[in-house]
Every structure is written in structure tokens, then in C-alpha cells.
Amino acid sequence: MLQIIGILFWQWVNQSVNVAFNFFNANKTTVMDVSETTTAYATAVAASCTIAVTLNESVKRAKNLKPSTQAILARAVPFAAVATAGTLNVILMRQKELTDGIDVMDDQGKSVGKSTAAGRNAIGQVAISRVATAFPIVFVPSLIMARVDRTAFIRGNPRWRGPINLGVITASLLAALPMAVALFPQKASMKVEDLESKFHGIKGSDGRPLERVYFNRGL
């Protein structure tokens, strides 16, 4: 029971941080009101807690699996929970970008309309970045600490395990986050032909037909 409470608490903390991050780093050309944001927050937290507890309990019940397989699952479950919940969090907190679209601009920076196709593209890129961030943070520290635990230093000084583990996690986060954010350019672009039909043949502020449009994908 205590373990489940711990999972719920940390999932709440994690998803609360994600909600704040998604809210302040969304595209912002399409804004959600307080009611929509509150509903999205509650849904994101509830979904993440459900996913984490369900996956954790499923691993516990898989007692017929080999110890090596259980060890792999023990590491994979936190990643699956964080990645799935993080992706869902992005979608919920930026859902109006999917329904109402986001501003797309010509090469002069002038808005030419709102596009739901661009909204889907922006959210998809952000979701991939979140999964890429979670992977090293979940897997790398456990692999490093498995080796550290076998050293004579830790066996003789077990009190240092906590600080070292925290340092490894921090280093993994500092390394993973910039690389994940840099997977896609902040100023994203799409071909006009890949947008809704209303944009086909559209002209820019200089009067020439546009081949590409640009938009802020958010973080």
C-alpha cells in the first residue's frame, strides 16, 4: 500500500510539473481558458496515476517470468508510464491546437491563418521529444548504479549511494533534455500542400504563392 501511495504521489508531482511546463510552453496562438486547463490537468494526473499503478501491479503479478525478464520489466515499466503519461499530458494540455489549429506564417512572419494540421505536427514533435527525454533518465541511472553498487567504495561507504544516485540522475537529465529539445527546430515548417485545402494556392504578404509555412511548435 505504501508503495502505491508513493507511486501516486510522485506521478502527481511529475505530471503537475509537466502541466505547468506544457501550459507555459505551448504555441500560445490558441489559448485554453481556466476551466479547460483545470479539466485537462485533472485528467492528465488521473490518467498518469492509473497507468503507473496498473503497470506496476501487472509486473508484480508476473511471477512466472524469469528473474532476468522481471528485471527488464522493472526498468521498462517506469519508462512506459512516464512516456505514455507525458505524451497524454501534452495532448490534453494543448488539445485546442488540435481542434482549433495554430497560426501558420509566411516567410515574412505574417500569419496566414490557423491550421489543425500544423497543430498536430507541433504536438507530435513535442511528444517525441518528451519520450526521448524520458528514455535516458529512466534507463541510464539504473545501468550506471548497477555497476557502482559493485564497487568496493560503495560496499564500504553505503551512505554515499544516495548522493551518487542523485548526481547520476541529475547529470542524465541535464544531458538528455537539451538533446531531446534539439531534435526538432523551434520554428517548424510544413509544405502548403500538406495543410488543409483552404491553404492550397495561398499567397504570402509579398503576393507570391507560398510553398511552405512556418509555426512555433512550442516545447
Side-chain angles (χ1 to χ4, degrees):
M1 185 63 184
L2 287 177
Q3 185 179 22
I4 292 177
I5 292 174
I7 292 173
L8 293 174
F9 174 75
W10 288 113
Q11 281 296 324
W12 169 70
V13 171
N14 182 49
Q15 293 309 315
S16 295
V17 171
N18 282 345
V19 162
F21 190 87
N22 291 330
F23 178 79
F24 288 108
N25 291 281
N27 175 270
K28 290 303 182 184
T29 59
T30 301
V31 182
M32 293 175 63
D33 60 32
V34 175
S35 176
E36 292 169 328
T37 301
T38 302
T39 301
Y41 168 70
T43 306
V45 171
S48 66
C49 290
T50 301
I51 291 168
V53 172
T54 301
L55 290 176
N56 188 68
E57 291 300 304
S58 297
V59 172
K60 284 183 179 180
R61 295 192 185 98
K63 296 179 180 179
N64 58 330
L65 298 177
K66 296 179 181 179
S68 58
T69 304
Q70 289 183 334
I72 293 173
L73 286 175
R75 289 174 180 164
V77 163
F79 169 71
V82 170
T84 304
T87 299
L88 183 60
N89 194 308
V90 172
I91 294 172
L92 289 170
M93 289 303 298
R94 298 177 60 175
Q95 56 186 288
K96 288 194 73 171
E97 296 178 28
L98 299 174
T99 58
D100 296 357
I102 59 176
D103 280 4
V104 292
M105 296 164 284
D106 61 16
D107 53 8
Q108 302 299 315
K110 182 179 179 180
S111 175
V112 295
K114 287 185 180 291
S115 167
T116 54
R120 290 193 300 271
N121 188 287
I123 291 176
Q125 291 182 5
V126 171
I128 292 172
S129 295
R130 297 298 171 78
V131 174
T133 302
F135 185 85
I137 295 172
V138 172
F139 283 99
V140 172
S142 61
L143 293 175
I144 293 176
M145 291 307 298
R147 292 183 175 274
V148 170
D149 287 341
R150 293 197 293 267
T151 63
F153 175 77
I154 288 297
R155 288 199 296 267
N157 302 275
R159 66 182 181 277
W160 281 99
R161 189 187 189 285
I164 292 175
N165 190 28
L166 181 60
V168 171
I169 293 172
T170 302
S172 299
L173 177 60
L174 292 176
L177 185 57
M179 290 188 289
V181 170
L183 283 175
F184 303 100
Q186 184 62 45
K187 185 180 180 182
S189 68
M190 290 180 67
K191 293 181 179 179
V192 170
E193 63 190 49
D194 294 331
L195 300 176
E196 299 90 321
S197 58
K198 67 179 182 180
F199 290 100
H200 296 176
I202 196 169
K203 296 180 180 180
S205 55
D206 57 2
R208 293 181 300 175
L210 295 176
E211 294 184 3
R212 301 189 74 86
V213 293
Y214 303 87
F215 53 93
N216 172 26
R217 69 175 177 86
L219 288 177

